[in-house]
Amino acid sequence: MKAFDATARAGSMTAAARVLAIQQPTVSSHIQRLEVDFGVELFHRRGRRLELTSFGRTLLNYTRRTFSGEEDAHALLAAAKNQYVGRLVIHAIGPHNVLPVLKLFMKQFPQVNVAVGVGDSRTITEKILDYQGDVGMVLNHVAHPDLFGAAYRTQRLVIFGNTQHPLAQRATLKLRDLQGQRFVIREEGSTTRRVFEQELKERGVEVQVALEMGSRESVREAVAEGLGLGVVAETAYRPDPRLVKLTISDTSMATQVHFICRKERHQAPLISIFLGLAHSVSQKIA
């Protein structure tokens, strides 16, 4: 099962062999034995690429719980012996909120290897549930029985545009002034987009989604080129001579940043420490 688990996570038997420090034929033999002994198919072989079957995905859910707990136990023992060593994998919606916590963590525990991936809240939640990371930073509360969540901070949403945009010349605006305006906006699934569109719907304001982009950076560049207005969390907005923030006086659109992890793992040494540091940072910026 260790051979299966490592192969499923690494994507190949060769990579799994490196992780387990054994030979690739040994990994292949173990997986073949599982399939033959239990009459199941765990992977679809597509050339050199392996894809989990439906049964394989189900089995992975169980092996991840088993071996993730074993890894946490090793981490706890290593922490007691070596003053915290190991690896912490974090998935975040962006660098802006997570970096202050990372700075503290890495200063206190320089021997810990930290890896950070960036994605949207939905993808990050799926990765944490699937044991593909230790801690996730997402927008708004994630209601799931297998997840532990800790509120981090509230961040206001801001509307911004090119300095030559007609609305950029006005000192203050009302939300209704956005009626009919063209917007460059994140793809479906973005929490920022959902909150923005919900506010517009409740207030009876209609805008035109002129362009969908896959990242905040892409949105910023498109807005800078004059392709429409944009909306972003204030913490993610970066001053640019081509851009200006619009002051909308009658709205308080905001999202809430949360840290999440699997519920049974929130007391694992490195995860617990990281969440504790996140709480201390949140108290300072509240």
Side-chain angles (χ1 to χ4, degrees), residues 168-202:
Q169 315 307 317
R170 296 173 57 175
T172 61
L173 299 163
K174 300 288 188 181
L175 196 67
R176 65 173 178 269
D177 293 324
L178 300 180
Q179 177 71 33
Q181 291 294 328
R182 292 165 58 87
F183 269 80
V184 180
I185 205 161
R186 291 287 301 277
E187 73 283 2
E188 291 284 352
S190 162
T191 303
T192 297
R193 174 175 179 169
R194 179 171 56 78
V195 171
F196 176 56
E197 290 182 335
Q198 182 64 31
E199 178 80 351
L200 294 177
K201 182 179 179 180
E202 292 177 356

PDB file of all heavy atoms in Angstrom, residues 168-202:
ATOM      1  N   ALA A 168     -12.102  57.645 -13.569  1.00  0.00           N
ATOM      2  CA  ALA A 168     -10.888  57.901 -12.778  1.00  0.00           C
ATOM      3  C   ALA A 168     -10.749  59.369 -12.415  1.00  0.00           C
ATOM      4  O   ALA A 168      -9.997  59.714 -11.493  1.00  0.00           O
ATOM      5  CB  ALA A 168      -9.649  57.441 -13.554  1.00  0.00           C
ATOM      6  N   GLN A 169     -11.460  60.230 -13.102  1.00  0.00           N
ATOM      7  CA  GLN A 169     -11.352  61.667 -12.847  1.00  0.00           C
ATOM      8  C   GLN A 169     -12.269  62.142 -11.720  1.00  0.00           C
ATOM      9  O   GLN A 169     -12.186  63.295 -11.305  1.00  0.00           O
ATOM     10  CB  GLN A 169     -11.680  62.449 -14.130  1.00  0.00           C
ATOM     11  CG  GLN A 169     -11.028  61.909 -15.394  1.00  0.00           C
ATOM     12  CD  GLN A 169      -9.527  61.743 -15.264  1.00  0.00           C
ATOM     13  OE1 GLN A 169      -8.844  62.611 -14.716  1.00  0.00           O
ATOM     14  NE2 GLN A 169      -9.000  60.620 -15.757  1.00  0.00           N
ATOM     15  N   ARG A 170     -13.116  61.238 -11.199  1.00  0.00           N
ATOM     16  CA  ARG A 170     -14.085  61.636 -10.182  1.00  0.00           C
ATOM     17  C   ARG A 170     -13.583  61.281  -8.785  1.00  0.00           C
ATOM     18  O   ARG A 170     -13.062  60.183  -8.555  1.00  0.00           O
ATOM     19  CB  ARG A 170     -15.430  60.976 -10.463  1.00  0.00           C
ATOM     20  CG  ARG A 170     -16.020  61.452 -11.794  1.00  0.00           C
ATOM     21  CD  ARG A 170     -17.256  60.693 -12.184  1.00  0.00           C
ATOM     22  NE  ARG A 170     -18.310  60.752 -11.169  1.00  0.00           N
ATOM     23  CZ  ARG A 170     -19.520  60.238 -11.343  1.00  0.00           C
ATOM     24  NH1 ARG A 170     -19.824  59.623 -12.495  1.00  0.00           N
ATOM     25  NH2 ARG A 170     -20.416  60.315 -10.383  1.00  0.00           N
ATOM     26  N   ALA A 171     -13.746  62.195  -7.857  1.00  0.00           N
ATOM     27  CA  ALA A 171     -13.217  62.015  -6.497  1.00  0.00           C
ATOM     28  C   ALA A 171     -13.910  60.866  -5.773  1.00  0.00           C
ATOM     29  O   ALA A 171     -13.260  60.047  -5.124  1.00  0.00           O
ATOM     30  CB  ALA A 171     -13.359  63.312  -5.701  1.00  0.00           C
ATOM     31  N   THR A 172     -15.235  60.827  -5.851  1.00  0.00           N
ATOM     32  CA  THR A 172     -15.992  59.738  -5.216  1.00  0.00           C
ATOM     33  C   THR A 172     -17.081  59.268  -6.171  1.00  0.00           C
ATOM     34  O   THR A 172     -17.561  60.024  -7.025  1.00  0.00           O
ATOM     35  CB  THR A 172     -16.644  60.184  -3.891  1.00  0.00           C
ATOM     36  OG1 THR A 172     -17.552  61.255  -4.146  1.00  0.00           O
ATOM     37  CG2 THR A 172     -15.586  60.613  -2.887  1.00  0.00           C
ATOM     38  N   LEU A 173     -17.466  58.007  -5.971  1.00  0.00           N
ATOM     39  CA  LEU A 173     -18.486  57.402  -6.819  1.00  0.00           C
ATOM     40  C   LEU A 173     -19.495  56.660  -5.954  1.00  0.00           C
ATOM     41  O   LEU A 173     -19.207  56.318  -4.808  1.00  0.00           O
ATOM     42  CB  LEU A 173     -17.847  56.408  -7.800  1.00  0.00           C
ATOM     43  CG  LEU A 173     -16.825  56.946  -8.798  1.00  0.00           C
ATOM     44  CD1 LEU A 173     -16.011  55.802  -9.369  1.00  0.00           C
ATOM     45  CD2 LEU A 173     -17.527  57.712  -9.913  1.00  0.00           C
ATOM     46  N   LYS A 174     -20.672  56.414  -6.525  1.00  0.00           N
ATOM     47  CA  LYS A 174     -21.644  55.520  -5.937  1.00  0.00           C
ATOM     48  C   LYS A 174     -21.592  54.211  -6.718  1.00  0.00           C
ATOM     49  O   LYS A 174     -21.141  54.175  -7.866  1.00  0.00           O
ATOM     50  CB  LYS A 174     -23.062  56.113  -6.009  1.00  0.00           C
ATOM     51  CG  LYS A 174     -23.221  57.448  -5.289  1.00  0.00           C
ATOM     52  CD  LYS A 174     -23.194  57.269  -3.792  1.00  0.00           C
ATOM     53  CE  LYS A 174     -23.540  58.585  -3.087  1.00  0.00           C
ATOM     54  NZ  LYS A 174     -23.498  58.453  -1.616  1.00  0.00           N
ATOM     55  N   LEU A 175     -22.051  53.133  -6.091  1.00  0.00           N
ATOM     56  CA  LEU A 175     -22.008  51.843  -6.774  1.00  0.00           C
ATOM     57  C   LEU A 175     -22.804  51.889  -8.080  1.00  0.00           C
ATOM     58  O   LEU A 175     -22.420  51.274  -9.075  1.00  0.00           O
ATOM     59  CB  LEU A 175     -22.553  50.739  -5.862  1.00  0.00           C
ATOM     60  CG  LEU A 175     -22.222  49.309  -6.300  1.00  0.00           C
ATOM     61  CD1 LEU A 175     -20.726  49.039  -6.189  1.00  0.00           C
ATOM     62  CD2 LEU A 175     -22.989  48.294  -5.456  1.00  0.00           C
ATOM     63  N   ARG A 176     -23.901  52.666  -8.101  1.00  0.00           N
ATOM     64  CA  ARG A 176     -24.723  52.739  -9.305  1.00  0.00           C
ATOM     65  C   ARG A 176     -23.975  53.374 -10.480  1.00  0.00           C
ATOM     66  O   ARG A 176     -24.374  53.216 -11.633  1.00  0.00           O
ATOM     67  CB  ARG A 176     -26.011  53.510  -9.022  1.00  0.00           C
ATOM     68  CG  ARG A 176     -25.815  54.973  -8.669  1.00  0.00           C
ATOM     69  CD  ARG A 176     -27.148  55.710  -8.558  1.00  0.00           C
ATOM     70  NE  ARG A 176     -26.968  57.106  -8.180  1.00  0.00           N
ATOM     71  CZ  ARG A 176     -26.971  57.539  -6.915  1.00  0.00           C
ATOM     72  NH1 ARG A 176     -27.171  56.669  -5.924  1.00  0.00           N
ATOM     73  NH2 ARG A 176     -26.788  58.821  -6.651  1.00  0.00           N
ATOM     74  N   ASP A 177     -22.882  54.107 -10.180  1.00  0.00           N
ATOM     75  CA  ASP A 177     -22.093  54.720 -11.252  1.00  0.00           C
ATOM     76  C   ASP A 177     -21.361  53.674 -12.089  1.00  0.00           C
ATOM     77  O   ASP A 177     -20.828  53.990 -13.165  1.00  0.00           O
ATOM     78  CB  ASP A 177     -21.075  55.707 -10.670  1.00  0.00           C
ATOM     79  CG  ASP A 177     -21.742  56.924 -10.047  1.00  0.00           C
ATOM     80  OD1 ASP A 177     -22.769  57.374 -10.600  1.00  0.00           O
ATOM     81  OD2 ASP A 177     -21.255  57.411  -9.015  1.00  0.00           O
ATOM     82  N   LEU A 178     -21.331  52.432 -11.592  1.00  0.00           N
ATOM     83  CA  LEU A 178     -20.683  51.357 -12.350  1.00  0.00           C
ATOM     84  C   LEU A 178     -21.622  50.731 -13.380  1.00  0.00           C
ATOM     85  O   LEU A 178     -21.201  49.872 -14.158  1.00  0.00           O
ATOM     86  CB  LEU A 178     -20.193  50.263 -11.393  1.00  0.00           C
ATOM     87  CG  LEU A 178     -19.178  50.688 -10.322  1.00  0.00           C
ATOM     88  CD1 LEU A 178     -18.794  49.486  -9.468  1.00  0.00           C
ATOM     89  CD2 LEU A 178     -17.941  51.302 -10.967  1.00  0.00           C
ATOM     90  N   GLN A 179     -22.893  51.168 -13.383  1.00  0.00           N
ATOM     91  CA  GLN A 179     -23.883  50.624 -14.296  1.00  0.00           C
ATOM     92  C   GLN A 179     -23.369  50.654 -15.735  1.00  0.00           C
ATOM     93  O   GLN A 179     -22.955  51.696 -16.251  1.00  0.00           O
ATOM     94  CB  GLN A 179     -25.193  51.427 -14.201  1.00  0.00           C
ATOM     95  CG  GLN A 179     -26.291  51.006 -15.155  1.00  0.00           C
ATOM     96  CD  GLN A 179     -26.902  49.650 -14.767  1.00  0.00           C
ATOM     97  OE1 GLN A 179     -26.991  49.312 -13.596  1.00  0.00           O
ATOM     98  NE2 GLN A 179     -27.305  48.890 -15.767  1.00  0.00           N
ATOM     99  N   GLY A 180     -23.380  49.472 -16.383  1.00  0.00           N
ATOM    100  CA  GLY A 180     -22.995  49.378 -17.785  1.00  0.00           C
ATOM    101  C   GLY A 180     -21.508  49.398 -18.060  1.00  0.00           C
ATOM    102  O   GLY A 180     -21.099  49.263 -19.224  1.00  0.00           O
ATOM    103  N   GLN A 181     -20.683  49.546 -17.034  1.00  0.00           N
ATOM    104  CA  GLN A 181     -19.237  49.619 -17.257  1.00  0.00           C
ATOM    105  C   GLN A 181     -18.663  48.252 -17.633  1.00  0.00           C
ATOM    106  O   GLN A 181     -19.152  47.212 -17.206  1.00  0.00           O
ATOM    107  CB  GLN A 181     -18.538  50.135 -16.001  1.00  0.00           C
ATOM    108  CG  GLN A 181     -18.808  51.591 -15.676  1.00  0.00           C
ATOM    109  CD  GLN A 181     -18.222  52.531 -16.720  1.00  0.00           C
ATOM    110  OE1 GLN A 181     -17.189  52.258 -17.318  1.00  0.00           O
ATOM    111  NE2 GLN A 181     -18.905  53.660 -16.934  1.00  0.00           N
ATOM    112  N   ARG A 182     -17.617  48.282 -18.446  1.00  0.00           N
ATOM    113  CA  ARG A 182     -16.908  47.063 -18.846  1.00  0.00           C
ATOM    114  C   ARG A 182     -15.914  46.674 -17.746  1.00  0.00           C
ATOM    115  O   ARG A 182     -15.202  47.527 -17.218  1.00  0.00           O
ATOM    116  CB  ARG A 182     -16.155  47.286 -20.160  1.00  0.00           C
ATOM    117  CG  ARG A 182     -17.072  47.486 -21.348  1.00  0.00           C
ATOM    118  CD  ARG A 182     -16.321  48.051 -22.544  1.00  0.00           C
ATOM    119  NE  ARG A 182     -15.212  47.192 -22.952  1.00  0.00           N
ATOM    120  CZ  ARG A 182     -15.332  46.159 -23.796  1.00  0.00           C
ATOM    121  NH1 ARG A 182     -16.528  45.873 -24.310  1.00  0.00           N
ATOM    122  NH2 ARG A 182     -14.296  45.429 -24.133  1.00  0.00           N
ATOM    123  N   PHE A 183     -15.876  45.375 -17.420  1.00  0.00           N
ATOM    124  CA  PHE A 183     -14.980  44.890 -16.376  1.00  0.00           C
ATOM    125  C   PHE A 183     -14.096  43.756 -16.892  1.00  0.00           C
ATOM    126  O   PHE A 183     -14.521  42.915 -17.684  1.00  0.00           O
ATOM    127  CB  PHE A 183     -15.775  44.384 -15.158  1.00  0.00           C
ATOM    128  CG  PHE A 183     -16.018  45.437 -14.125  1.00  0.00           C
ATOM    129  CD1 PHE A 183     -17.035  46.365 -14.292  1.00  0.00           C
ATOM    130  CD2 PHE A 183     -15.214  45.520 -12.985  1.00  0.00           C
ATOM    131  CE1 PHE A 183     -17.260  47.348 -13.339  1.00  0.00           C
ATOM    132  CE2 PHE A 183     -15.434  46.494 -12.034  1.00  0.00           C
ATOM    133  CZ  PHE A 183     -16.453  47.416 -12.204  1.00  0.00           C
ATOM    134  N   VAL A 184     -12.858  43.771 -16.432  1.00  0.00           N
ATOM    135  CA  VAL A 184     -11.943  42.635 -16.587  1.00  0.00           C
ATOM    136  C   VAL A 184     -11.992  41.901 -15.259  1.00  0.00           C
ATOM    137  O   VAL A 184     -11.754  42.510 -14.204  1.00  0.00           O
ATOM    138  CB  VAL A 184     -10.502  43.095 -16.878  1.00  0.00           C
ATOM    139  CG1 VAL A 184      -9.595  41.877 -17.034  1.00  0.00           C
ATOM    140  CG2 VAL A 184     -10.464  43.979 -18.108  1.00  0.00           C
ATOM    141  N   ILE A 185     -12.307  40.623 -15.279  1.00  0.00           N
ATOM    142  CA  ILE A 185     -12.624  39.945 -14.022  1.00  0.00           C
ATOM    143  C   ILE A 185     -12.052  38.532 -14.020  1.00  0.00           C
ATOM    144  O   ILE A 185     -11.738  37.967 -15.072  1.00  0.00           O
ATOM    145  CB  ILE A 185     -14.164  39.947 -13.818  1.00  0.00           C
ATOM    146  CG1 ILE A 185     -14.537  39.835 -12.343  1.00  0.00           C
ATOM    147  CG2 ILE A 185     -14.827  38.869 -14.653  1.00  0.00           C
ATOM    148  CD1 ILE A 185     -15.947  40.289 -12.047  1.00  0.00           C
ATOM    149  N   ARG A 186     -11.867  37.988 -12.822  1.00  0.00           N
ATOM    150  CA  ARG A 186     -11.360  36.624 -12.693  1.00  0.00           C
ATOM    151  C   ARG A 186     -12.364  35.618 -13.227  1.00  0.00           C
ATOM    152  O   ARG A 186     -13.546  35.888 -13.367  1.00  0.00           O
ATOM    153  CB  ARG A 186     -11.042  36.318 -11.223  1.00  0.00           C
ATOM    154  CG  ARG A 186      -9.850  37.065 -10.649  1.00  0.00           C
ATOM    155  CD  ARG A 186      -8.545  36.533 -11.184  1.00  0.00           C
ATOM    156  NE  ARG A 186      -8.369  35.123 -10.884  1.00  0.00           N
ATOM    157  CZ  ARG A 186      -7.916  34.647  -9.731  1.00  0.00           C
ATOM    158  NH1 ARG A 186      -7.597  35.474  -8.758  1.00  0.00           N
ATOM    159  NH2 ARG A 186      -7.772  33.345  -9.544  1.00  0.00           N
ATOM    160  N   GLU A 187     -11.875  34.404 -13.493  1.00  0.00           N
ATOM    161  CA  GLU A 187     -12.713  33.355 -14.040  1.00  0.00           C
ATOM    162  C   GLU A 187     -13.748  32.884 -13.016  1.00  0.00           C
ATOM    163  O   GLU A 187     -13.638  33.181 -11.832  1.00  0.00           O
ATOM    164  CB  GLU A 187     -11.853  32.163 -14.491  1.00  0.00           C
ATOM    165  CG  GLU A 187     -11.275  31.323 -13.362  1.00  0.00           C
ATOM    166  CD  GLU A 187     -10.081  31.930 -12.653  1.00  0.00           C
ATOM    167  OE1 GLU A 187      -9.679  33.061 -12.999  1.00  0.00           O
ATOM    168  OE2 GLU A 187      -9.545  31.285 -11.737  1.00  0.00           O
ATOM    169  N   GLU A 188     -14.746  32.137 -13.488  1.00  0.00           N
ATOM    170  CA  GLU A 188     -15.755  31.562 -12.596  1.00  0.00           C
ATOM    171  C   GLU A 188     -15.060  30.725 -11.512  1.00  0.00           C
ATOM    172  O   GLU A 188     -14.103  30.007 -11.782  1.00  0.00           O
ATOM    173  CB  GLU A 188     -16.714  30.668 -13.379  1.00  0.00           C
ATOM    174  CG  GLU A 188     -17.635  31.414 -14.348  1.00  0.00           C
ATOM    175  CD  GLU A 188     -18.774  32.129 -13.646  1.00  0.00           C
ATOM    176  OE1 GLU A 188     -18.948  31.921 -12.428  1.00  0.00           O
ATOM    177  OE2 GLU A 188     -19.492  32.888 -14.324  1.00  0.00           O
ATOM    178  N   GLY A 189     -15.554  30.830 -10.291  1.00  0.00           N
ATOM    179  CA  GLY A 189     -14.937  30.108  -9.176  1.00  0.00           C
ATOM    180  C   GLY A 189     -14.161  31.030  -8.258  1.00  0.00           C
ATOM    181  O   GLY A 189     -13.844  30.670  -7.131  1.00  0.00           O
ATOM    182  N   SER A 190     -13.858  32.242  -8.732  1.00  0.00           N
ATOM    183  CA  SER A 190     -13.159  33.217  -7.905  1.00  0.00           C
ATOM    184  C   SER A 190     -14.096  33.751  -6.826  1.00  0.00           C
ATOM    185  O   SER A 190     -15.203  34.207  -7.120  1.00  0.00           O
ATOM    186  CB  SER A 190     -12.662  34.377  -8.777  1.00  0.00           C
ATOM    187  OG  SER A 190     -12.363  35.509  -7.996  1.00  0.00           O
ATOM    188  N   THR A 191     -13.663  33.687  -5.565  1.00  0.00           N
ATOM    189  CA  THR A 191     -14.490  34.195  -4.466  1.00  0.00           C
ATOM    190  C   THR A 191     -14.661  35.699  -4.570  1.00  0.00           C
ATOM    191  O   THR A 191     -15.742  36.239  -4.302  1.00  0.00           O
ATOM    192  CB  THR A 191     -13.859  33.825  -3.117  1.00  0.00           C
ATOM    193  OG1 THR A 191     -13.701  32.408  -3.041  1.00  0.00           O
ATOM    194  CG2 THR A 191     -14.742  34.286  -1.960  1.00  0.00           C
ATOM    195  N   THR A 192     -13.606  36.409  -4.967  1.00  0.00           N
ATOM    196  CA  THR A 192     -13.697  37.861  -5.146  1.00  0.00           C
ATOM    197  C   THR A 192     -14.778  38.197  -6.166  1.00  0.00           C
ATOM    198  O   THR A 192     -15.600  39.100  -5.948  1.00  0.00           O
ATOM    199  CB  THR A 192     -12.345  38.425  -5.608  1.00  0.00           C
ATOM    200  OG1 THR A 192     -11.369  38.200  -4.594  1.00  0.00           O
ATOM    201  CG2 THR A 192     -12.443  39.929  -5.877  1.00  0.00           C
ATOM    202  N   ARG A 193     -14.794  37.470  -7.259  1.00  0.00           N
ATOM    203  CA  ARG A 193     -15.815  37.704  -8.286  1.00  0.00           C
ATOM    204  C   ARG A 193     -17.202  37.415  -7.733  1.00  0.00           C
ATOM    205  O   ARG A 193     -18.148  38.180  -7.972  1.00  0.00           O
ATOM    206  CB  ARG A 193     -15.543  36.829  -9.507  1.00  0.00           C
ATOM    207  CG  ARG A 193     -16.642  36.909 -10.558  1.00  0.00           C
ATOM    208  CD  ARG A 193     -16.288  36.130 -11.801  1.00  0.00           C
ATOM    209  NE  ARG A 193     -17.365  36.196 -12.793  1.00  0.00           N
ATOM    210  CZ  ARG A 193     -17.252  35.781 -14.057  1.00  0.00           C
ATOM    211  NH1 ARG A 193     -16.103  35.252 -14.465  1.00  0.00           N
ATOM    212  NH2 ARG A 193     -18.273  35.874 -14.881  1.00  0.00           N
ATOM    213  N   ARG A 194     -17.346  36.332  -6.990  1.00  0.00           N
ATOM    214  CA  ARG A 194     -18.662  35.962  -6.456  1.00  0.00           C
ATOM    215  C   ARG A 194     -19.197  37.037  -5.517  1.00  0.00           C
ATOM    216  O   ARG A 194     -20.378  37.410  -5.584  1.00  0.00           O
ATOM    217  CB  ARG A 194     -18.577  34.619  -5.734  1.00  0.00           C
ATOM    218  CG  ARG A 194     -19.883  34.171  -5.118  1.00  0.00           C
ATOM    219  CD  ARG A 194     -19.800  32.741  -4.614  1.00  0.00           C
ATOM    220  NE  ARG A 194     -18.713  32.551  -3.682  1.00  0.00           N
ATOM    221  CZ  ARG A 194     -18.758  32.915  -2.404  1.00  0.00           C
ATOM    222  NH1 ARG A 194     -19.842  33.491  -1.903  1.00  0.00           N
ATOM    223  NH2 ARG A 194     -17.722  32.691  -1.602  1.00  0.00           N
ATOM    224  N   VAL A 195     -18.335  37.548  -4.632  1.00  0.00           N
ATOM    225  CA  VAL A 195     -18.755  38.591  -3.688  1.00  0.00           C
ATOM    226  C   VAL A 195     -19.131  39.866  -4.437  1.00  0.00           C
ATOM    227  O   VAL A 195     -20.141  40.518  -4.124  1.00  0.00           O
ATOM    228  CB  VAL A 195     -17.630  38.868  -2.671  1.00  0.00           C
ATOM    229  CG1 VAL A 195     -17.950  40.095  -1.817  1.00  0.00           C
ATOM    230  CG2 VAL A 195     -17.421  37.646  -1.774  1.00  0.00           C
ATOM    231  N   PHE A 196     -18.340  40.231  -5.430  1.00  0.00           N
ATOM    232  CA  PHE A 196     -18.600  41.429  -6.223  1.00  0.00           C
ATOM    233  C   PHE A 196     -19.928  41.313  -6.964  1.00  0.00           C
ATOM    234  O   PHE A 196     -20.772  42.216  -6.915  1.00  0.00           O
ATOM    235  CB  PHE A 196     -17.443  41.638  -7.210  1.00  0.00           C
ATOM    236  CG  PHE A 196     -17.632  42.785  -8.161  1.00  0.00           C
ATOM    237  CD1 PHE A 196     -17.871  44.069  -7.703  1.00  0.00           C
ATOM    238  CD2 PHE A 196     -17.555  42.573  -9.541  1.00  0.00           C
ATOM    239  CE1 PHE A 196     -18.034  45.133  -8.587  1.00  0.00           C
ATOM    240  CE2 PHE A 196     -17.716  43.620 -10.431  1.00  0.00           C
ATOM    241  CZ  PHE A 196     -17.964  44.903  -9.957  1.00  0.00           C
ATOM    242  N   GLU A 197     -20.137  40.178  -7.640  1.00  0.00           N
ATOM    243  CA  GLU A 197     -21.357  40.007  -8.413  1.00  0.00           C
ATOM    244  C   GLU A 197     -22.588  39.920  -7.510  1.00  0.00           C
ATOM    245  O   GLU A 197     -23.675  40.389  -7.892  1.00  0.00           O
ATOM    246  CB  GLU A 197     -21.244  38.763  -9.293  1.00  0.00           C
ATOM    247  CG  GLU A 197     -20.243  38.932 -10.427  1.00  0.00           C
ATOM    248  CD  GLU A 197     -20.139  37.724 -11.341  1.00  0.00           C
ATOM    249  OE1 GLU A 197     -20.460  36.606 -10.872  1.00  0.00           O
ATOM    250  OE2 GLU A 197     -19.736  37.894 -12.495  1.00  0.00           O
ATOM    251  N   GLN A 198     -22.447  39.351  -6.316  1.00  0.00           N
ATOM    252  CA  GLN A 198     -23.556  39.288  -5.371  1.00  0.00           C
ATOM    253  C   GLN A 198     -23.958  40.689  -4.912  1.00  0.00           C
ATOM    254  O   GLN A 198     -25.153  41.011  -4.817  1.00  0.00           O
ATOM    255  CB  GLN A 198     -23.183  38.429  -4.169  1.00  0.00           C
ATOM    256  CG  GLN A 198     -24.296  38.257  -3.139  1.00  0.00           C
ATOM    257  CD  GLN A 198     -25.497  37.509  -3.696  1.00  0.00           C
ATOM    258  OE1 GLN A 198     -25.359  36.656  -4.567  1.00  0.00           O
ATOM    259  NE2 GLN A 198     -26.691  37.839  -3.200  1.00  0.00           N
ATOM    260  N   GLU A 199     -22.958  41.539  -4.653  1.00  0.00           N
ATOM    261  CA  GLU A 199     -23.242  42.926  -4.249  1.00  0.00           C
ATOM    262  C   GLU A 199     -23.962  43.675  -5.366  1.00  0.00           C
ATOM    263  O   GLU A 199     -24.935  44.399  -5.121  1.00  0.00           O
ATOM    264  CB  GLU A 199     -21.934  43.637  -3.890  1.00  0.00           C
ATOM    265  CG  GLU A 199     -22.088  45.094  -3.495  1.00  0.00           C
ATOM    266  CD  GLU A 199     -22.535  45.289  -2.064  1.00  0.00           C
ATOM    267  OE1 GLU A 199     -22.893  44.296  -1.398  1.00  0.00           O
ATOM    268  OE2 GLU A 199     -22.530  46.447  -1.594  1.00  0.00           O
ATOM    269  N   LEU A 200     -23.504  43.502  -6.604  1.00  0.00           N
ATOM    270  CA  LEU A 200     -24.147  44.168  -7.735  1.00  0.00           C
ATOM    271  C   LEU A 200     -25.594  43.704  -7.888  1.00  0.00           C
ATOM    272  O   LEU A 200     -26.502  44.512  -8.111  1.00  0.00           O
ATOM    273  CB  LEU A 200     -23.383  43.872  -9.028  1.00  0.00           C
ATOM    274  CG  LEU A 200     -21.960  44.442  -9.141  1.00  0.00           C
ATOM    275  CD1 LEU A 200     -21.331  43.991 -10.456  1.00  0.00           C
ATOM    276  CD2 LEU A 200     -21.958  45.960  -9.044  1.00  0.00           C
ATOM    277  N   LYS A 201     -25.817  42.405  -7.738  1.00  0.00           N
ATOM    278  CA  LYS A 201     -27.160  41.851  -7.880  1.00  0.00           C
ATOM    279  C   LYS A 201     -28.100  42.406  -6.828  1.00  0.00           C
ATOM    280  O   LYS A 201     -29.244  42.799  -7.130  1.00  0.00           O
ATOM    281  CB  LYS A 201     -27.103  40.327  -7.790  1.00  0.00           C
ATOM    282  CG  LYS A 201     -28.442  39.632  -7.968  1.00  0.00           C
ATOM    283  CD  LYS A 201     -28.291  38.119  -7.895  1.00  0.00           C
ATOM    284  CE  LYS A 201     -29.633  37.416  -8.058  1.00  0.00           C
ATOM    285  NZ  LYS A 201     -29.492  35.936  -7.978  1.00  0.00           N
ATOM    286  N   GLU A 202     -27.621  42.444  -5.573  1.00  0.00           N
ATOM    287  CA  GLU A 202     -28.459  42.940  -4.483  1.00  0.00           C
ATOM    288  C   GLU A 202     -28.792  44.420  -4.644  1.00  0.00           C
ATOM    289  O   GLU A 202     -29.833  44.880  -4.175  1.00  0.00           O
ATOM    290  CB  GLU A 202     -27.763  42.692  -3.144  1.00  0.00           C
ATOM    291  CG  GLU A 202     -27.666  41.210  -2.774  1.00  0.00           C
ATOM    292  CD  GLU A 202     -26.899  40.977  -1.483  1.00  0.00           C
ATOM    293  OE1 GLU A 202     -26.379  41.967  -0.924  1.00  0.00           O
ATOM    294  OE2 GLU A 202     -26.804  39.811  -1.059  1.00  0.00           O
TER     295      GLU A 202
END
